[in-house]
């Protein structure tokens, strides 16, 4: 059995916490996780179906479906 633990190295300043005691990053990660999981599952299912895979079209599909904005690099 594997146990995962999470600990903060430094206390978060009170002015960075919202009404439920979370930071903006913690709220973002909570909202992002289900979207990421859905996109990964959908991609794996497509790849397992052995249909033609066009990476560019698939990226566009995921961005549209999950309202993902492509980052600037």
């Amino acid at each position: 059995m594997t146990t995962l633990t999470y600990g903060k190295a430094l206390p978060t300043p009170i002015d960075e916490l919202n009404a439920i005691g979370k930071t903006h990053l913690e709220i973002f990660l909570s909202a992002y996780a289900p979207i990421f999981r859905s996109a990964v599952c959908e991609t794996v299912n497509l790849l397992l179906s052995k249909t033609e895979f066009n990476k560019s079209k698939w990226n566009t599909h995921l961005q549209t479906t999950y309202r993902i904005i492509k980052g600037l690099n």
Side-chain angles (χ1 to χ4, degrees), residues 27-39:
I27 295 296
F28 167 77
L29 291 176
S30 295
Y32 177 74
I35 295 168
F36 181 76
R37 182 184 183 283
S38 294

Side-chain angles (χ1 to χ4, degrees), residues 20-48:
I20 61 171
K22 302 285 184 183
T23 65
H24 290 294
L25 177 61
E26 289 168 325
I27 295 296
F28 167 77
L29 291 176
S30 295
Y32 177 74
I35 295 168
F36 181 76
R37 182 184 183 283
S38 294
V40 168
C41 289
E42 188 176 352
T43 301
V44 169
N45 285 332
L46 176 72
L47 294 172
L48 290 174

Side-chain angles (χ1 to χ4, degrees), residues 11-23:
T12 303
I14 195 76
D15 61 336
E16 290 184 20
L17 300 176
N18 66 11
I20 61 171
K22 302 285 184 183
T23 65

